[in-house]
Each structure stands twice: as C-alpha cells, then as structure tokens.
Amino acid sequence: SKEILQDLISFPTVSSESNLALIDYCFELLRQVTSDIKIIEDTTKNKANLYASIGPNDKPGVMLSGHTDVVTVDGQDWNFPPFRMTEHNGNLYGRGTADMKGFVACALQCALNTKNKELKEPLKLALSFDEEIGCVGVRSLIEMLSNHSLRPRFCIVGEPTLMKIATKHKGKTVCRVSLTGKGIHSSEAPKGLNAIYLATDVIQSIRKKQADIIRHSFRESDYDIPYTTIHVGSIEGGTALNIVPNHSKLIFEIRNSPDDNPDDLLKGLKVNSKDTLSKIQKEFPEADAKFEIINNYPSLNTSNSSEVVSFVGSLIETNDIIKVAFGTEGGLFSQLGIPTVVCGPGSMSQGHQADEFISVKELKKCESMLSNLLKKLELGF
C-alpha cells in the first residue's frame, strides 16, 4: 500500500485539474485481477470515475469508496514536497496522504491481493472525482449503480476517521442569492435601491435563523458543533463608489444535522426575503432576490445497530462509533439503499493542511481491516 500511495501522491489531482492519469494508473493495476472495470468520463472527458468488481457477478459484495481529487496547495508553506511522498519519523507526507489517497492505496492493494483467491462475494471499488468541491463527480457513478438491480450489500467510505466507524455526518446545501436593486449616481443615493443593502437584509435573516437554531434546535452532542449551521461565505456587488449598485450576489451554505431538513430552512429564508421585498417593491418594483441551489449532498444517518456497523466492526480492532463533521458521498450511497459507514486511516485534522501526512501505523491498520474483509469475502460472509 505504501508503494501504491507513493505513486498516487505523484499525480497532482487538484480538483481544478484532470484525474485521468491517476485513473489510468488504477485501471492498469486492477486489470491484473479483473476485466470488470468501468470508466465513467465527465462531459469534458477530462475527468473520470472508476468502478471495478472482482469476484462473482451474481452476488452483492462489499464496495470500497474513495475520491481521487485533492485540495490545492496554493498559499500553503510546505516543508516537504506536496506531490512527492516523503517518509519521516513514521509518517508519510504529501498532499492527499490522509484525505484520502491513503485509503485508496489500501483498497487497490486489497484488490491486488485477490489474485489466486476464489471470492464467494465480490469486492467492488468506486473511485470518484471532484468530491472536494461537493461530491460532484460521484453523481454519474451513482446514476450507473441506480440502474443495477444488484447493488453492493455494504459500502465503506474510506475518509480518515482514525479507523473508527462513523455512522453519521451532516448534509450540505450551497445556495446563491442574486439581488436586483436600482442603480443611480451616488449623489442621489436615496432615489436608488442599493443591491448590497438587499444582500445584507438576506444576511440578517440568515443570522436570525442561525440564532434561533442555536437556541431551540435539537442538539447532537457527538458533533463538535451539535446543531445545523448556516454560513455566508461570499458576497459580491458594486462597480464604483459613486454608483449605487443595482446587482449583488451572495453565497451561503447550510450544513444540516440528519434531523433537520435543509429544504425547510431554505423555504423559510425565501419567505422572509419575499416579505421584505414586498414592502420595497411598492417604491422599487424591480427589486428582486433569486435563490438558486448550486450544490448539495445529503447527510449520512446510518443506525448504530445496523448490520453494516456490526460487519465493519468485525473487521477492525476497535468498535468505536463516532459522528464526523465533514461530508462524504456516503449519504448518496445510503439514499440508493446501500448501507454505508465511513471508516478509513488517518485523521481529517491533517487534511487540507500544509505538510499533510498519514502515519505508517494507520496505513497498516487499514491494511489489516481490508485483509479481514477479504477473508469474509472468501467465506461468503
């Protein structure tokens, strides 16, 4: 796994770049043990998912899921070369070592270890692109699986959890609001309608909703932030100081706990905005606010007593069950009816940081889990 990880790190698969060279590398490895490999390209033919199955095609098996993209290293001060793996003091340094090429390397090695083995249940690998920008790339793989009558019995998403079993994480909805006011020379500002002011009205509504959630919502204590959050991350507007801006935009996100419905929260914000605009439109009929969802993925809400939890628990040294703050494609697989947990090597506290690393010890723990998985697949569970 360490040798494969070294190769994977050498591919600079930042989400803004192609991942095809890495996918070709994985394809060449996997075709040593299976011919059942599907490459699913995106519309630009510059990125692709890979789905492979090893073993009988009339059984559901277990799917290992991981993403191949990484975040940028721009603006970060690295002591080690980010795209060349460096081993130092028991740690492996490089962009993506923890998030999450370490798991992908272990999954690929697990696949190679099936050589000369007769599996009674198949091992499946799902490698996706553009996870880091909101689980975008995996959608075409999900669509492919939705057309299969025989789907994996279980899914393990290998995001870094220090090899603990994560059964729940928050969902995410990203929304853009485009606001229209009335532009005019700033010397006559009261005769115009400042679109930036309209944006601040929406922001104020968001802040009130967040305060209400903090005061009254159900709290899930296992999360660091035990409630749903709403956060404005970007605002644009204005061209010159002497012009009252007639357009502005803001982007906000909802990270919802499994018990909260982001659609309901978004509906409430839209109603508040409509009420505010209805008063303004008496004087400025052009006033408008358009809400547009630009990305979302669901929360993961697997029961701690489910079969997938006990199954994965039988593969690892600890049965610690946790919740994680970050999102994954796990909720999408779960919506497809595939029982899913998140369990992988390394810590997300290392992800996205300069000098990202995974310990050799964590990598070996993952190898052990997947070795135990192969034994189960040989026996047919």
Side-chain angles (χ1 to χ4, degrees):
S1 298
K2 189 164 69 172
E3 292 175 3
I4 294 174
L5 178 57
Q6 179 172 288
D7 291 340
L8 295 178
I9 297 303
S10 70
F11 296 102
T13 52
V14 177
S15 300
S16 59
E17 304 298 327
S18 173
N19 75 331
L20 292 184
L22 182 147
I23 291 294
D24 288 343
Y25 168 85
C26 296
F27 178 86
E28 291 300 322
L29 281 183
L30 291 168
R31 74 173 185 167
Q32 298 176 41
V33 290
T34 182
S35 59
D36 190 359
I37 309 172
K38 296 179 177 63
I39 305 295
I40 310 166
E41 293 183 324
D42 74 342
T43 55
T44 68
K45 299 189 181 301
N46 196 42
K47 297 181 181 182
N49 299 313
L50 182 150
Y51 186 76
S53 182
I54 306 165
N57 57 18
D58 60 344
K59 301 286 186 180
V62 175
M63 179 170 68
L64 306 177
S65 177
H67 63 81
T68 60
D69 61 318
V70 297
V71 298
T72 184
V73 299
D74 292 347
Q76 295 183 340
D77 186 16
W78 283 67
N79 295 303
F80 300 95
F83 297 110
R84 187 172 74 243
M85 193 181 79
T86 303
E87 185 168 0
H88 180 69
N89 289 341
N91 294 325
L92 305 172
Y93 290 85
R95 173 55 87 222
T97 46
D99 184 19
M100 60 177 296
K101 289 180 177 179
F103 177 80
V104 173
C106 290
L108 288 168
Q109 184 59 55
C110 179
L112 295 179
N113 289 344
T114 65
K115 194 170 185 178
N116 300 322
K117 294 184 186 296
E118 187 174 342
L119 303 184
K120 292 184 179 178
E121 289 276 348
L123 173 70
K124 300 174 185 288
L125 268 66
L127 305 180
S128 60
F129 66 92
D130 282 359
E131 187 274 347
E132 293 289 4
I133 57 174
C135 298
V136 174
V138 76
R139 309 297 173 124
S140 58
L141 197 153
I142 296 283
E143 183 179 358
M144 183 201 73
L145 286 174
S146 70
N147 294 320
H148 284 201
S149 57
L150 188 63
R151 297 168 192 168
R153 181 174 175 182
F154 301 131
C155 173
I156 303 172
V157 177
E159 292 277 9
T161 64
L162 291 171
M163 297 307 297
K164 298 176 182 179
I165 302 171
T167 56
K168 293 175 173 60
H169 65 63
K170 295 179 180 180
K172 181 177 177 179
T173 299
V174 180
C175 185
R176 177 169 53 222
V177 188
S178 302
L179 300 122
T180 302
K182 180 180 179 181
I184 198 168
H185 194 282
S186 63
S187 64
E188 298 185 304
K191 295 181 181 180
L193 177 63
N194 193 316
I196 293 177
Y197 291 177
L198 294 180
T200 62
D201 289 339
V202 175
I203 292 170
Q204 183 63 18
S205 178
I206 288 172
R207 295 182 68 186
K208 287 180 179 179
K209 175 54 70 174
Q210 180 69 88
D212 182 64
I213 289 170
I214 292 172
R215 283 195 303 265
H216 302 298
S217 72
F218 173 76
R219 292 177 176 247
E220 298 195 45
S221 57
D222 292 340
Y223 289 114
D224 288 340
I225 306 297
Y227 46 77
T228 292
T229 59
I230 313 178
H231 154 75
V232 178
S234 172
I235 183 168
E236 302 174 13
T239 56
L241 183 59
N242 60 356
I243 302 173
V244 172
N246 62 342
H247 291 291
S248 70
K249 290 181 181 179
L250 64 90
I251 297 176
F252 70 91
E253 68 170 23
I254 301 171
R255 289 187 180 263
N256 64 288
S257 299
D259 290 332
D260 283 338
N261 186 336
D263 293 337
D264 292 341
L265 294 173
L266 190 57
K267 183 179 178 180
L269 293 171
K270 287 180 179 179
V271 168
N272 290 343
S273 177
K274 186 176 180 180
D275 290 344
T276 300
L277 284 173
S278 65
K279 300 171 186 176
I280 296 173
Q281 285 166 342
K282 294 175 182 178
E283 183 177 0
F284 299 101
E286 61 269 79
D288 194 21
K290 288 186 169 64
F291 287 70
E292 177 189 7
I293 294 176
I294 56 177
N295 186 38
N296 63 353
Y297 57 76
S299 60
L300 178 66
N301 194 21
T302 301
S303 170
N304 290 356
S305 61
S306 66
E307 190 180 4
V308 65
V309 174
S310 59
F311 178 80
V312 176
S314 71
L315 307 177
I316 58 179
E317 297 176 1
T318 175
N319 286 334
D320 289 346
I321 296 175
I322 61 172
K323 300 174 184 176
V324 291
F326 55 84
T328 76
E329 67 272 24
L332 292 165
F333 288 127
S334 185
Q335 281 189 342
L336 205 58
I338 303 171
T340 300
V341 296
V342 183
C343 183
S347 168
M348 190 56 85
S349 64
Q350 302 303 328
H352 300 198
Q353 305 296 315
D355 294 335
E356 178 181 351
F357 71 85
I358 189 171
S359 70
V360 174
K361 183 178 179 181
E362 280 292 302
L363 209 63
K364 288 181 177 179
K365 285 182 180 179
C366 188
E367 288 176 337
S368 176
M369 175 183 78
L370 297 182
S371 176
N372 290 335
L373 172 62
L374 275 191
K375 293 174 185 176
K376 298 259 188 184
L377 296 178
E378 284 185 274
L379 294 172
F381 293 173

